[in-house]
Every structure is written in C-alpha cells, then in structure tokens.
Amino acid sequence: MRSPHSSNGWGVRLFHRTTRSVALSDAGEGFLARVKPALAALEDAMTSMDAHQKTPTGTLRINTSAFVARRIIMPLILEYLRRYPDISVELVAEDKPVDIVADGFDAGVRLAGSIPRDMVAVPCSGDVRFIVVGSKKYLRSHGAPKTPADLVHHECIRYRMSNGAIYRWELSRRGEEIAMEVKGRLTLDDDGAVVAAAIGGAGLAYVSAWNVGDALKTGQLV
C-alpha cells in the first residue's frame, strides 16, 4: 500500500508508512543527512537574530548641546552602557544646528524651545526649571525686579539658541504665562558664559536652576 504522503514532488519515496508505523526509506535517510547541516545553520541564524533583538549591539551616535549633555544625557548614557554592554556611545556636544541624518547621528537632543516645529520630537526628561538671577553687586546698583514688567529697566543677558533665535524668558505672573523678549547689550550662545557674565555683574540672567545651584549656595548669585 502506498500512502499519498510517502513521496515528494520528485516521485522519490522518502519514508514507508503503514497504518501502524512510519519509517524513513534509504532515500529519506540520505535526504535527512544532507539537510541536517542546513537546518542547524538556519536554527543558529534564527537564534542569532533573536539575540540581536534582545541584546542591542553597535554604536549609538547622539548630538546635543553642551548643557543638555552635562545635565540630562550623561546620567542616561551611563545607565544605558551598564544595561547594554555590547553598545558603544558617541556623544557630540555642540550648540550649532546640525542635520542629524546627513551628519550620521542616530538621535539629537535639544531644549524644546530650540527644536524646529516641523521636526518629530519625543520628551526625554521632565520640565527644566528656569529662574532669573543676578549678582549682589548688580542688584545693589539696579535693584531687584518685582514683576516681569520691571525687566524692561534692567540689563538682561540674552541667550542665542542653536537655531539662531534669542531665547525668550518664560515667566508667570498671577498664574499667567508670559514669554518675554528681553533687552540687553550682551548676547551669548553658551549657558556657562551666561552664568559667568551674571556672576561678574553684567546683568540679570535667565538660566536653568541646575546651572546655578553652586553659585546660589555660595552667594555669587541670588
């Protein structure tokens, strides 16, 4: 008796089948011996692909500003390297605008206010608290502003973002959010330089609380 499943499309019998048992034919034994290495290689390839999915490998290139690199990205990168030992990270910190794709970066991280509106963006940290600060020397000479409107009478140290725009001072007054274009004779494109200028008495600065924590503790800024 011949089973309809006892041969392949070439008409070669690969196994003998009865109502009680199934056994490989000589041709079937030979065929199995020939395909076993290929099946093993296929299994290894599938296992390797699965391992790649579970354990990332390669180099991750990130572009960001110096401020974001120091305060936000570095803690995340250190944890990422600990979690994925087969990953290498290259972090480029610069404040000039770049074409992430054309320059070969996998990701770019910037403050929300400096990201072009047509760019896809995903938040990677919570809100960053910004405050207005000045040196004691400056405040003794010019007084301290009590409302956002008072800033028009002060020297304000302005910050130029990587996209070329001047960063607006985002303030609140009685629950109302205000984005002010302040005036000032000094414009800088580095947050560290802004802090240094404020400590030196050049005017008021609108900076991240992270950036001036030490200066506030020592009394260099208030």
Side-chain angles (χ1 to χ4, degrees), residues 112-207:
S114 65
I115 299 176
R117 293 186 177 183
D118 60 349
M119 182 175 290
V120 177
V122 178
C124 63
S125 75
D127 291 337
V128 178
R129 179 171 171 257
F130 277 71
I131 57 177
V132 178
V133 296
S135 69
K136 292 179 179 178
K137 178 181 178 181
Y138 175 86
L139 294 175
R140 280 197 300 267
S141 299
H142 300 82
K146 293 182 173 55
T147 68
D150 293 340
L151 292 173
V152 298
H153 305 298
H154 284 269
E155 278 289 333
C156 296
I157 304 168
R158 306 193 307 166
Y159 176 76
R160 188 177 298 280
M161 298 183 292
S162 59
N163 63 3
I166 298 296
Y167 197 86
R168 293 185 175 188
W169 291 23
E170 299 171 354
L171 308 168
S172 62
R173 171 69 172 170
R174 296 175 181 173
E176 180 185 359
E177 299 296 326
I178 303 171
M180 295 188 62
E181 293 185 6
V182 297
K183 303 297 182 182
R185 293 179 295 160
L186 181 60
T187 301
L188 303 168
D189 67 353
D190 177 77
D191 56 286
V194 171
V195 173
I199 291 175
L204 299 177
Y206 181 71
V207 293

Side-chain angles (χ1 to χ4, degrees), residues 17-71:
R17 180 175 181 178
T18 69
T19 56
R20 295 184 179 181
S21 66
V22 177
L24 286 170
S25 66
D26 291 341
E29 291 279 4
F31 180 76
L32 181 61
R34 296 290 297 273
V35 300
K36 267 187 176 181
L39 292 175
L42 179 60
E43 183 177 4
D44 288 343
M46 294 175 67
T47 301
S48 176
M49 289 297 294
D50 186 57
H52 277 297
Q53 291 178 345
K54 294 179 180 178
T55 307
T57 61
T59 299
L60 177 65
R61 300 189 73 236
I62 303 173
N63 182 281
T64 185
S65 66
F67 165 75
V68 174
R70 290 194 305 269
R71 297 296 183 175

